[in-house]
């Protein structure tokens, strides 16, 4: 009997690994595009636009990214939890899809109105109002993309289709039409158009699978708002030390400082993108199967790869910045070094978050870690504002301190409840 159970457990473990590998592979294609395409597009933009105009474009994109935190409302984390529990129930899934999209559209209207009012009343960017208004188009496209849906049903390959087409189209349009500094406006325009096209393609794929966004009723919409609220505050807290950095510098710094911060951050995000598919693919699988051995195996190799990359990057960072972005961006090297150090903690922290704590039934602790991190970041940015430390280096240093706090909290809680979980299983046996 024990041998049969052991064989069944081994088969299930192999199936889990295959499913995770398949989904991670699909997401790796997207992340490779996230790493490769910026190395093509960003050097082109920084050389054509220069630090000042590139900083303006980055500020507009930062506004859209910060707005997306609100319109997403934590559904990228909430939806996989719900959909993984009712997989195969087409009618119930369609109802949830309808509820989430109703919530998203209502939030999109609110955020768009806020951006519109800011664009009309700002004096600092009075000459660039059209650029700020185009961030609404970008926000619309990203909001309506059903990435969360395909995560929930573990069909990540579909995400690859519309995401990759969007990024390649954007790259092509920018290279063809953006040739002078005066063309900076078209960067935001093409970004918005391609994101909206990706949203339409993604929705078409949802319908192709046989699902529909059915009207759920106002009661269901309200319940969905309430259920995802904790996830929203988690994502909002995270945004205070991700997208908020660019917006903070855009509001109280200069467009040049935005450019330095954005260039270094893009390299940092490119490195993060290499490891992100592992956590994304593990998340729904861990919720369903609680395969801790697989999680730690993946984490071990990810951390080793991460450390190797950090050591190499710290040696050649200045040369990379000059080669990719131009001599003007060598001044961002100190910012890049801070981000490289930060990467050493964010990689394991991500896997200790929702994949581990979520599987242990402690999602609230994963959320609490970023709540505390977000609170710390608000304090640090307020400190920087009051003392006039509105530089890319100071904001990057704030991000490092926050990520250190989040990592140590998740490591402590993960170890504590993993041990308690192991002890409970031993007692049952």
């Amino acid at each position: 009997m024990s041998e049969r159970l052991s064989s069944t457990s081994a088969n299930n473990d192999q199936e889990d690994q295959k499913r995770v590998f398949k989904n991670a592979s699909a997401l790796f294609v997207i992340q490779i595009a996230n790493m490769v395409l910026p190395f093509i597009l960003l050097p082109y933009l920084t050389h054509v636009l220069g630090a000042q105009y590139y900083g303006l474009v980055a500020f507009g994109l930062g506004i859209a990214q910060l707005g997306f935190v609100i319109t997403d409302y934590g559904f990228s984390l909430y939806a996989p939890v719900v959909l993984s529990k009712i997989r195969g129930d087409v009618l119930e899934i369609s109802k949830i899809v309808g509820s989430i999209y109703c919530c998203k559209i209502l939030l999109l209207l609110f955020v768009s109105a806020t951006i519109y009012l800011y664009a009309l009343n700002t004096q600092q960017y009075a000459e660039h109002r059209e650029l700020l208004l185009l961030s609404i188009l970008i926000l619309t496209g990203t909001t309506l993309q059903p990435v969360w849906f395909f995560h929930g049903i573990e069909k990540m390959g579909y995400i690859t289709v519309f995401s990759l087409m969007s990024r390649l189209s954007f790259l092509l349009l920018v290279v063809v039409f953006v040739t002078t500094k005066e063309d900076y406006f078209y960067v935001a325009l093409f970004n918005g158009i391609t994101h909206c096209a990706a949203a339409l393609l993604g929705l078409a794929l949802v319908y192709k699978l046989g699902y529909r966004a059915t009207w759920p009723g106002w009661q269901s919409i309200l319940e969905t708002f309430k259920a995802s609220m904790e996830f929203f505050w988690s994502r909002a807290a995270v945004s205070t030390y991700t997208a908020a950095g660019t917006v903070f510098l855009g509001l109280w710094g200069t467009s040049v400082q935005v450019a330095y911060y954005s260039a270094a951050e893009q390299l940092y995000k490119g490195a993060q993108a290499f490891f992100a598919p592992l956590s994304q693919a593990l998340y729904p699988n861990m919720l369903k199967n609680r395969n801790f051995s697989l999680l730690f195996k993946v984490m071990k190799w990810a951390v080793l790869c991460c450390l190797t990359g950090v050591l190499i990057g710290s040696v050649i960072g200045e040369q990379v910045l000059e080669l990719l972005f131009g001599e003007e961006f060598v001044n961002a090297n100190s910012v890049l070094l801070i981000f490289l150090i930060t990467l050493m903690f964010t990689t394991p922290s991500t896997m200790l978050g929702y994949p581990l704590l979520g599987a242990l039934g402690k999602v609230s602790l994963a959320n609490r870690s970023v709540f505390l991190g977000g609170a710390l970041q608000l304090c640090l940015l307020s400190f920087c504002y009051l003392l006039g430390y509105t530089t890319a280096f100071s904001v990057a240093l704030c991000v490092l301190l926050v990520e250190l706090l989040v990592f140590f909290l998740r490591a402590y809680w993960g170890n504590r409840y993993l041990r308690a979980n192991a002890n409970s299983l031993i007692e049952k046996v």
Side-chain angles (χ1 to χ4, degrees), residues 174-249:
V174 168
V175 171
V176 172
F177 293 100
V178 180
T179 57
T180 66
K181 291 182 178 180
E182 289 71 25
D183 296 329
Y184 75 98
F185 173 86
Y186 292 111
V187 179
L189 177 62
F190 295 146
N191 201 356
I193 291 174
T194 52
H195 272 301
C196 288
L200 292 174
L201 179 57
L203 290 170
L205 292 173
V206 172
Y207 274 65
K208 181 181 178 181
L209 290 175
Y211 298 95
R212 301 290 184 270
T214 57
W215 171 250
W218 289 109
Q219 182 63 32
S220 179
I221 293 173
L222 182 61
E223 291 174 356
T224 302
F225 262 118
K226 290 181 179 179
S228 191
M229 184 176 295
E230 183 178 3
F231 295 97
F232 163 67
W233 287 116
S234 171
R235 302 312 300 166
V238 170
S239 72
T240 62
Y241 49 96
T242 53
T246 301
V247 176
F248 174 84
L249 290 172

Side-chain angles (χ1 to χ4, degrees), residues 159 186 221 260 332 358 419:
I159 303 173
Y186 292 111
I221 293 173
Y260 291 162
R419 288 177 178 274

Side-chain angles (χ1 to χ4, degrees), residues 146-157:
V147 175
W148 48 270
F149 171 80
F150 294 111
H151 275 165
I153 64 172
E154 293 193 74
K155 297 284 186 180
M156 280 70 158

Side-chain angles (χ1 to χ4, degrees), residues 16-32:
D16 289 342
Q17 292 188 43
K18 288 180 180 178
R19 186 182 300 107
V20 170
F21 178 77
K22 181 178 179 180
N23 289 320
S25 298
L27 293 175
F28 264 124
V29 174
I30 301 174
Q31 300 301 351
I32 289 173

